[in-house]
Amino acid sequence: MDKAKERERQTRYRYLTEIQQMMFVFGEIQDPLADTTMLIEDIVRSQVIEIIVMAAAQAQRRGSRFLAAEDFIFLIRHDRTKVLRLREYLSWKDVRKKVKEREDAGDDIIDDANADKPDRVAKVNIKLSWELANAFSENLADDDSDDDDEMLDAQSDSLKRLKDADDVTRQMTRDEY
């Protein structure tokens, strides 16, 4: 019976070590309880399933059979920090993909003629269809300062939320916390 239970645990909970490592990085003890990590994996799994179902419904509404990054971005569009983080991730993912394609094709990233200047792969700017500026992108100059301003605004919003949460928890007793 124990072997069957252990086999079921291994097939259902695949990310226990990664979750334990993340918990340690965020201030948990070195080896947290297995029940705690399994609970966190269950919560993450249910949230991932929920957002995938919602993104699939969004893709179906726009008439597509396949999920796209825009479906996920549309779901989190009201949380500027998450949107910027996802856009940043997608742009760097595209950069890594292009570099890997160049390496697989046999092209050297560094040309022999320009050995002191490596070729740079440009980071792609992800544009969202519902942003007004993107509808008129041919007429507007490409301005990276907007992204920097958005990132700074998102950071200041995040810091304000963290400060507010810190103020709330300071007034709590140990039992309330």
Side-chain angles (χ1 to χ4, degrees), residues 125 127 133-147:
N125 188 12
K127 296 184 179 181
N134 292 334
F136 305 104
S137 61
E138 310 84 44
N139 300 331
L140 298 175
D142 190 20
D143 188 15
D144 289 337
S145 66
D146 289 342
D147 289 340

Side-chain angles (χ1 to χ4, degrees), residues 99 102 108-122:
V99 168
R102 290 175 67 186
D108 287 332
I109 295 177
I110 300 176
D111 294 330
D112 292 334
N114 296 328
D116 57 337
K117 293 183 180 179
D119 289 345
R120 292 191 175 243
V121 179

Side-chain angles (χ1 to χ4, degrees), residues 73-117:
I73 293 173
F74 185 78
L75 293 175
I76 61 172
R77 69 188 180 278
H78 298 296
D79 190 344
R80 189 170 31 181
T81 306
K82 288 180 184 177
V83 170
L84 290 173
R85 193 178 310 139
L86 183 58
R87 287 171 72 173
E88 182 85 9
Y89 169 76
L90 291 172
S91 62
W92 281 112
K93 181 181 172 195
D94 193 45
V95 168
R96 288 190 296 270
K97 180 181 173 187
K98 287 180 181 177
V99 168
K100 186 171 178 4
E101 287 174 356
R102 290 175 67 186
E103 287 176 351
D104 290 344
D107 295 340
D108 287 332
I109 295 177
I110 300 176
D111 294 330
D112 292 334
N114 296 328
D116 57 337
K117 293 183 180 179

Side-chain angles (χ1 to χ4, degrees), residues 47-59 61 67 72 75:
Q47 288 178 345
V48 167
I49 290 170
E50 181 181 346
I51 198 164
I52 288 173
V53 167
M54 291 168 51
Q58 181 63 32
R61 271 186 239 125
L67 295 177
F72 293 101
L75 293 175

Side-chain angles (χ1 to χ4, degrees), residues 8-60:
E8 186 267 332
R9 179 179 167 228
Q10 288 176 347
T11 57
R12 184 166 180 200
Y13 300 104
R14 297 181 183 190
Y15 302 104
L16 291 179
T17 56
E18 290 85 357
I19 291 172
Q20 288 175 344
Q21 290 169 353
M22 285 188 272
M23 289 172 69
F24 178 68
V25 168
F26 287 111
E28 185 65 45
I29 59 173
Q30 179 72 35
D31 293 318
L33 294 173
D35 291 338
T36 306
T37 55
M38 288 188 289
L39 176 66
I40 290 174
E41 186 168 343
D42 286 337
I43 292 169
V44 169
R45 184 182 299 115
S46 67
Q47 288 178 345
V48 167
I49 290 170
E50 181 181 346
I51 198 164
I52 288 173
V53 167
M54 291 168 51
Q58 181 63 32
Q60 187 177 13

